[in-house]
Amino acid sequence: MGRIIVFIYGVAAYLIFFGTFLYAIGFVGNLVVPKAMDSGAERPFAQALLINAIPLGIFAIQHSVMARLAFKKVWMRIVPEPVERSTYVLASSLLLLLLFWQWRPMGGIIWDVDNPMGRVFLLALFGMGWLIVLGSTFAINHFDLFGLRQVYLYLRGRAYTPIEFKTPGPYQYVRHPLYLGWLFAFWATPTMTAAHLVFAVATTAYILVAIQFEERDLISFYGEAYKKYRARVPMIIPLLKKKG
């Protein structure tokens, strides 16, 4: 019964994540969803900035701290190992939903592309960004990244084995294609409002800081293999490989 409960918990956490992911597309792109980046009554800029900064900051701290190896060692004394990843995914999803709920538009247009082809091009980059994000997770192991593999193995009574270090597909060109996808998703928009710009700047800053902590853990976990990979492949901007 305990194994079944753990599995149901992992599946529920994943479904909440996937729903949050789909909602995020609409939220950032101002598409379909009832509460989007620029929907709702505007507040004075300083007031809206403060309100928006609080859930952004909480999410950034949670998303980074809970992913660290040092934190996991302590955390797994409280949370069973099979649901550690699912709990991380669930916490991240709930904090994102809180961010969407509490987000306040700020008014002001930074740029607005009138050319129809230009708008289509930017929307295509926006869509490509989300596809890169999702595709990058499948290139490594989507179900391990979001905790489903862990709870499934526990349900079957099999020991969990970490994913081996590999660099398939986009990971041959940049070390963090998932973050590259986020950058496209957050910056590619035909209409950049003040609220959208604040969101894009804040998340970009977080990404650049988070990469530094993430790579420390990757070096600690994979050792020399990751050091050689880091020396050979650019971090987030694809570059032409040097000959020889």
Side-chain angles (χ1 to χ4, degrees):
M1 182 61 68
R3 294 182 187 276
I4 294 173
I5 292 173
V6 164
F7 181 71
I8 292 173
Y9 174 80
V11 171
Y14 177 80
L15 292 176
I16 291 171
F17 147 72
F18 200 72
T20 304
F21 178 81
L22 294 177
Y23 195 97
I25 298 174
F27 176 81
V28 177
N30 288 295
L31 303 168
V32 183
V33 298
K35 179 69 164 59
M37 179 86 70
D38 297 306
S39 65
E42 293 181 7
R43 298 285 185 92
F45 183 84
Q47 183 184 28
L49 181 62
L50 177 61
I51 294 172
N52 294 339
I54 292 172
L56 269 172
I58 293 172
F59 172 79
I61 293 170
Q62 173 273 327
H63 197 257
S64 186
V65 170
M66 286 187 71
R68 303 285 66 81
L69 292 176
F71 179 87
K72 290 180 182 181
K73 291 178 181 178
V74 177
W75 184 233
M76 281 190 287
R77 297 174 188 171
I78 305 170
V79 175
E81 184 176 355
V83 299
E84 179 274 325
R85 189 66 187 181
S86 292
T87 302
Y88 170 76
V89 169
L90 178 61
S92 299
S93 300
L94 293 177
L95 286 176
L96 274 179
L97 291 174
L98 174 66
L99 170 65
F100 300 155
W101 174 43
Q102 289 298 313
W103 186 264
R104 301 293 188 268
M106 299 179 185
I109 302 295
I110 309 303
W111 71 67
D112 188 17
V113 177
D114 293 325
N115 183 279
M117 291 301 295
R119 295 186 70 87
V120 169
F121 176 71
L122 287 170
L123 288 173
L125 289 181
F126 172 79
M128 183 183 73
W130 293 99
L131 290 176
I132 291 173
V133 169
L134 193 59
S136 297
T137 67
F138 279 101
I140 298 296
N141 191 310
H142 176 84
F143 301 108
D144 186 271
L145 185 63
F146 295 104
L148 280 180
R149 177 171 174 262
Q150 291 86 329
V151 297
Y152 174 75
L153 291 174
Y154 186 70
L155 177 68
R156 297 292 301 273
R158 294 162 56 185
Y160 172 75
T161 52
I163 299 297
E164 64 180 13
F165 179 69
K166 55 183 180 179
T167 58
Y171 290 88
Q172 298 178 31
Y173 304 99
V174 291
R175 302 197 302 275
H176 301 280
L178 191 148
Y179 289 141
L180 176 62
W182 287 129
L183 294 180
F184 275 115
F186 296 155
W187 285 96
T189 175
T191 304
M192 176 65 80
T193 63
H196 196 145
L197 180 63
V198 167
F199 182 86
V201 169
T203 50
T204 299
Y206 166 72
I207 284 170
L208 296 177
V209 172
I211 285 175
Q212 309 310 312
F213 289 104
E214 184 176 327
E215 294 211 321
R216 288 183 192 175
D217 283 352
L218 289 169
I219 290 171
S220 175
F221 195 80
Y222 292 113
E224 195 62 31
Y226 193 84
K227 287 183 179 179
K228 291 180 179 179
Y229 175 64
R230 188 173 68 166
R232 178 172 51 87
V233 177
M235 181 175 74
I236 203 168
I237 301 176
L239 299 173
L240 293 175
K241 294 183 178 179
K242 295 180 180 180
K243 295 182 179 180

